[in-house]
Amino acid sequence: MRSRAHISALPDDVILLIISYVEVEDILSLRKTSKRLLGLSKLRWVWYDAMKRHVVQKGLPIPAASLDDLKALDAEHLEARAVHAARFHDNWHSPHPVSKKTVEFSAVMYMDDALPEEGYGQSAVTHVSFLPGRNGKYLVTAVGRMLTCWEVPLGESEAYPVAEWIAARKIEQVVVNDDPKSDVVLAYVSSHPTSQGVVECRALSFDNFHGKFTCRMELRAHRQVSTPLHVLHSDYLIFGDPMHVCYLAAPTMVKPLGKSSLAEVPDNMILAVKPVNRYLLIVRQRTFEVIPAPTWRGVRAPYHSLVAASASIELEVPASSAVVVVRQVFAPSEDELPNWPHEPVTVLSRSSDGGFDTMHQYDFLPNPKAKGEEDKKDDALPVLDRLPCIFPSQYSVNIVPPSCCDLRVGPSGKGFWTETRNMVVRHAKNPARCLVGFEVGPADTENDAKEKERGKAVEPRASQVRKCQDVLYARRCNIHEILWKKYIITATALEDTVGRIAVGDVTGKVEVLDLA
């Protein structure tokens, strides 16, 4: 009798073609079936193709690498990065997301006169954030007057302090530079030690070799002028309302920014400020505003363009909080960036109207008529004769619970908010503070990718917000926390390149969760 047809009878090139269509986890399972498939699954071509199909085309970030580094990586490094990115994405959208590993440590490190006063919450972690561009390895915490940078290596069970900074008074706010190439990594604000109503703002650089922070800029001003801090990007810091910009590189100077008249509108505080390539998108409670960025391609914008050239739109329902999503997972160098991203820029704003709590989604699509502006030779004179984007005429609405707050989002579009839920543990239902994940991405990634492969142009469409099926993290809370709205969780942070979440609480404890 003729023997049955078997996959082992196929030639290697056909088997490799079959492997190119299976998922990353299936490739790992396939290599366990035979020695031949084990050898084929370790070829560099297999993982280079898997990286393109299952990571790049899906818009997932590459851990510890960029798109230009793929050609230089060998098979082992390509496999490690593809597996890490795929597992993080699958775990994020799984029915029950779980933390693969948790690192816990105490962020309370008082030295001499940095000891806090007695009282509840004096050792609370008021801020946690990952330093961008370092793949979740460095975490910054703020406790009282102490600012500490921790090294939390992947795969390790301990965290190590590598740099410390003690402020004169309690640190009130910290912002991290979202440009990983900048020398200045963060800025903070605290009260002046002697002058009432005056605050100090300092910008710090981080030297991981010598293990120290260095002050690069110091600013003293009245609280109403210099707070809050909105964004630290590249070589400038934006603060206050009306807004001002402080250039950190020499010559250091402070200039007004945006329309000062918008600050006089009732219930129109600034909720979010986000650099979008050549422009700034400013989200207020009632208005959106687009103005030229203070710095673009290393050139400072002239003063008249910072205050005169602007555009705004007024909203019907005032928002209480907002976050801006700019998806640039494989961003090229600044010289290759367009004036406005090709993908839509999404704004998620939290509103309460008529007893209903909602999350509004606004999508800013690129303006095709403004494409000619990119060919201008004078980069120092941005103009807004033609808007770089189309202001949204409509928005999507999603119902959220009243406890929804503290939106966090990363450059890949993954994010979460905090809310109170009733969680069932050991057949008992208890209230808990939970991190609810979501992802903002293209409406149809696979079809768009196929159209691009065929050389066809794909028109930008509104983004799609996908909510995770279950919570990412939950911690039980008592009824007193809910009544007084003083929860034990005080700070959260997200690093969506390697898949890490940091949670700080009122006791000084920090948890770093690895989701990949």
Side-chain angles (χ1 to χ4, degrees):
M1 293 178 63
R2 191 169 56 181
S3 60
R4 245 183 194 180
H6 195 269
I7 190 174
S8 60
L10 296 174
D12 289 351
D13 54 348
V14 177
I15 295 179
L16 289 175
L17 183 62
I18 296 174
I19 292 177
S20 66
Y21 285 95
V22 302
E23 299 292 332
V24 172
E25 290 295 335
D26 296 330
I27 299 176
L28 300 178
S29 300
L30 193 63
R31 67 168 41 168
K32 300 177 182 179
T33 58
S34 68
K35 291 184 178 179
R36 182 188 177 193
L37 292 177
L38 173 63
L40 291 176
S41 66
K42 290 187 176 181
L43 294 177
R44 185 184 182 278
W45 180 88
V46 171
W47 292 108
Y48 185 79
D49 183 77
M51 182 70 74
K52 290 196 302 181
R53 287 180 178 269
H54 306 303
V55 179
V56 176
Q57 290 184 3
K58 291 182 179 180
L60 307 182
I62 304 174
S66 63
L67 193 60
D68 297 333
D69 298 333
L70 295 184
K71 295 181 180 180
L73 296 177
D74 57 17
E76 182 179 357
H77 289 87
L78 286 171
E79 176 183 347
R81 284 157 175 78
V83 171
H84 191 104
R87 285 180 175 174
F88 170 46
H89 182 73
D90 294 341
N91 187 28
W92 188 272
H93 293 289
S94 66
H96 301 287
V98 294
S99 172
K100 306 297 183 180
K101 191 173 184 180
T102 303
V103 179
E104 299 183 7
F105 61 93
S106 176
V108 182
M109 296 183 61
Y110 298 118
M111 300 175 61
D112 301 333
D113 61 343
L115 290 171
E117 300 175 359
E118 296 295 332
Y120 176 78
Q122 293 298 327
S123 59
V125 181
T126 57
H127 178 85
V128 291
S129 61
F130 294 97
L131 294 184
R134 292 168 173 84
N135 295 286
K137 185 178 180 181
Y138 294 104
L139 178 71
V140 176
T141 63
V143 180
R145 297 164 50 197
M146 179 74 72
L147 196 68
T148 310
C149 182
W150 303 81
E151 182 177 353
V152 192
L154 290 173
E156 299 292 335
S157 58
E158 295 185 9
Y160 310 92
V162 293
E164 299 169 353
W165 182 274
I166 301 178
R169 287 290 185 268
K170 181 180 178 180
I171 297 175
E172 301 176 7
Q173 188 185 2
V174 181
V175 291
V176 178
N177 199 327
D178 55 8
D179 182 7
K181 299 179 181 180
S182 177
D183 294 333
V184 178
V185 296
L186 61 88
Y188 75 90
V189 63
S190 62
S191 299
H192 192 272
T194 58
S195 302
Q196 188 176 3
V198 177
V199 296
E200 292 182 334
C201 179
R202 285 187 171 89
L204 307 179
S205 61
F206 171 58
D207 185 355
N208 61 331
F209 181 79
H210 296 93
K212 65 177 182 178
F213 286 113
T214 304
C215 183
R216 300 293 297 272
M217 185 277 298
E218 181 178 356
L219 178 67
R220 297 179 183 178
H222 291 286
R223 180 179 297 275
Q224 296 179 351
V225 176
S226 56
T227 58
L229 305 181
H230 298 303
V231 66
L232 175 63
H233 179 78
S234 185
D235 63 340
Y236 60 85
L237 172 67
I238 299 176
F239 55 85
D241 191 12
M243 293 188 303
H244 290 77
V245 57
C246 177
Y247 293 99
L248 307 179
T252 303
M253 60 181 65
V254 178
K255 296 289 186 181
L257 186 67
K259 286 184 178 180
S260 58
S261 59
L262 294 179
E264 302 174 359
V265 179
D267 298 329
N268 199 31
M269 294 189 306
I270 297 176
L271 303 179
V273 179
K274 185 71 175 180
V276 186
N277 295 0
R278 194 179 188 179
Y279 299 91
L280 285 179
L281 177 57
I282 303 160
V283 181
R284 292 178 176 267
Q285 288 182 284
R286 290 184 174 274
T287 58
F288 292 140
E289 186 180 6
V290 174
I291 63 175
T295 301
W296 172 246
R297 295 177 180 174
V299 179
R300 295 183 181 181
Y303 169 71
H304 67 84
S305 66
L306 297 179
V307 293
S310 63
S312 62
I313 184 174
E314 188 170 352
L315 307 180
E316 298 178 359
V317 181
S320 58
S321 61
V323 67
V324 182
V325 183
V326 183
R327 295 186 73 254
Q328 290 182 343
V329 183
F330 310 112
S333 62
E334 190 178 76
D335 295 336
E336 300 174 357
L337 286 175
N339 289 349
W340 189 269
H342 300 302
E343 291 191 9
V345 176
T346 303
V347 174
L348 298 178
S349 64
R350 170 83 162 76
S351 303
S352 297
D353 183 27
F356 292 95
D357 296 276
T358 57
M359 187 79 69
H360 294 180
Q361 175 189 345
Y362 302 88
D363 291 297
F364 291 77
L365 301 177
N367 186 3
K369 295 182 179 180
K371 191 174 182 180
E373 297 291 333
E374 299 184 11
D375 300 330
K376 289 182 176 295
K377 297 182 179 180
D378 192 358
D379 290 334
L381 296 174
V383 295
L384 286 181
D385 295 337
R386 290 182 177 177
L387 289 176
C389 60
I390 302 175
F391 277 87
S393 58
Q394 57 186 2
Y395 54 86
S396 303
V397 179
N398 295 313
I399 304 297
V400 295
S403 59
C404 173
C405 61
D406 298 332
L407 277 76
R408 302 282 184 267
V409 70
S412 71
K414 290 183 172 63
F416 61 80
W417 66 70
T418 308
E419 69 177 50
T420 303
R421 287 188 177 185
N422 288 326
M423 305 295 294
V424 178
V425 180
R426 297 180 181 179
H427 307 287
K429 185 178 291 187
N430 299 291
R433 292 293 280 177
C434 306
L435 303 183
V436 180
F438 63 89
E439 183 175 14
V440 180
D444 198 347
T445 307
E446 295 183 1
N447 291 339
D448 290 349
K450 293 179 181 179
E451 293 295 331
K452 290 180 180 179
E453 287 183 354
R454 297 171 183 172
K456 296 182 179 180
V458 178
E459 293 293 332
R461 289 174 289 178
S463 299
Q464 181 182 15
V465 179
R466 297 175 54 195
K467 190 176 177 181
C468 292
Q469 301 181 48
D470 201 357
V471 299
L472 304 173
Y473 173 85
R475 180 182 292 192
R476 180 180 175 181
C477 58
N478 55 46
I479 192 63
H480 299 287
E481 297 180 53
I482 299 175
L483 292 176
W484 295 99
K485 294 184 179 180
K486 292 183 178 180
Y487 300 100
I488 192 171
I489 296 179
T490 54
T492 56
L494 170 66
E495 211 293 327
D496 60 345
T497 301
V498 298
R500 277 191 156 179
I501 291 178
V503 180
D505 63 19
V506 73
T507 65
K509 186 177 74 171
V510 176
E511 294 181 75
V512 179
L513 315 175
D514 287 326
L515 299 179

